Amino acid sequence: MSRRVHIISPDDWQGIVPYLSRQLKDGLAQFCEVTLSTQPERSADLNYFATWHPRDYPDMSDWGIPSVAMFTHLNTRDPGWYKGAIAKPDYVVAQSNHGRNILIENGRDPKTITVIYPGNEEFVVPRGNNTTGKVIVGISGRLYDNGRKREWLPLELAWGMSKEVMDKVHWLIAGEWWDFQVERMYTYGLSVQYAPRTLSDKSVRFDYDKYPQIFSYFDLYLCTSFVEGGPMGALQALATGTPVISPNYGYCSDFAGADSQGRERVIHYAAIEELAGKLEKFIESPYRVDPVVIPWENWGKEHLALFERIWAKT
């Protein structure tokens, strides 16, 4: 008799977490029954929480079925987050070894943590034709009202770096709610494009299906936030052979190191001054790296292997 995995995910169709949920549902469908909704189900053989926030985890101690949560990152601004994210689920899927270490440092039993990387193979597309005459620095992601993404970073760099250097950069930004920051960058005199929309086209939500084509133009991908579980943008950029400049976290920690030609896949920075220096160095001598490609098939199969191990114990 086929087991049933029930995935709990937000109903925001365009967010990263719902996207990972749909990919998991498709990947598991050939092996077991899979359902998806915004609430857990008592009749399932396993509830998989892809909800990011632990407030969505109910008390399931008397349900008699295992629960697994997909862990991205800790919300350090909310102390209550720790208890829910670490203590409530029976098992946790971390996005990276960096995330796994954070969970262990905060008291999670290592035996209950499994690291599974999402796929990025859809980003293996022909290289875009850069007609700007500049180094294209890409940024992606959805902004939040708490400033966690540090979306002001390009302007902060411009204020501290010479105009001569900044004139060699074209900023290409993809994602939702960047309108205000892009307008500020444009007003300041930076070469910037909000793809695939124009600044006046604010009525249409961003089309994430266009990400692979947009990423194909990046010469360098910049991670602006200091708090990330991945981010997915970095993993997607690496699939295109684009080097990443980022704090030392998530995928940017796990996939750091040199490629077959000795070129650094990920350039780490810890402060704005260090970022400015390393960005300037890259602008003067840009390079590509060997692509890091992860098939989505792994996402489903590795989850299935975890679920089967869990079921074998129950």
Side-chain angles (χ1 to χ4, degrees), residues 287-298:
Y287 61 85
R288 306 294 293 168
V289 296
D290 296 338
V292 176
V293 182
I294 304 173
W296 276 109
E297 181 182 18
N298 293 7

Side-chain angles (χ1 to χ4, degrees), residues 72 74 86 109 114 117 188 208 220 243 271 302:
T72 55
L74 288 176
I86 293 169
D109 182 352
T114 302
Y117 299 116
Y188 192 76
Y208 284 92
L220 180 69
E302 292 181 26

Side-chain angles (χ1 to χ4, degrees), residues 29-58:
Q30 59 182 311
F31 304 109
C32 62
E33 184 181 354
V34 191
T35 51
L36 188 152
S37 74
T38 59
Q39 299 295 324
E41 292 189 2
R42 285 179 177 267
S43 59
D45 294 291
L46 183 146
N47 277 287
Y48 184 88
F49 289 86
T51 53
W52 184 74
H53 204 293
R55 67 182 171 220
D56 300 313
Y57 308 161

Side-chain angles (χ1 to χ4, degrees), residues 184-248:
R184 290 183 68 201
M185 293 168 68
Y186 180 80
T187 302
Y188 192 76
L190 300 184
S191 176
V192 58
Q193 181 181 356
Y194 190 14
R197 305 187 304 182
T198 63
L199 289 178
S200 61
D201 180 17
K202 300 178 182 178
S203 60
V204 181
R205 294 193 69 181
F206 189 86
D207 184 357
Y208 284 92
D209 289 337
K210 291 186 170 65
Y211 258 36
Q213 286 70 40
I214 296 168
F215 274 52
S216 74
Y217 287 90
F218 293 170
D219 293 310
L220 180 69
Y221 182 86
L222 171 61
C223 297
T224 58
S225 174
F226 279 131
V227 181
E228 289 287 356
M232 279 298 293
L235 196 64
Q236 292 160 345
L238 289 172
T240 72
T242 300
V244 173
I245 187 163
S246 167
N248 190 6

Side-chain angles (χ1 to χ4, degrees), residues 143-163:
L143 297 187
Y144 306 103
D145 58 7
N146 59 9
R148 181 175 70 81
K149 293 291 185 177
R150 297 175 69 243
E151 55 270 21
W152 55 84
L153 191 58
L155 275 175
E156 191 174 356
L157 285 167
W159 296 332
M161 298 176 70
S162 70
K163 185 177 186 302

Side-chain angles (χ1 to χ4, degrees), residues 103-154:
L103 288 167
I104 293 171
E105 290 168 4
N106 284 276
R108 184 85 208 187
D109 182 352
K111 296 178 182 178
T112 65
I113 308 169
T114 302
V115 176
I116 304 178
Y117 299 116
N120 63 0
E121 61 190 321
E122 70 272 34
F123 282 76
V124 181
V125 297
R127 177 91 169 119
N129 182 24
N130 182 356
T131 60
T132 67
K134 303 173 185 286
V135 173
I136 297 180
V137 179
I139 303 174
S140 69
R142 173 189 291 185
L143 297 187
Y144 306 103
D145 58 7
N146 59 9
R148 181 175 70 81
K149 293 291 185 177
R150 297 175 69 243
E151 55 270 21
W152 55 84
L153 191 58

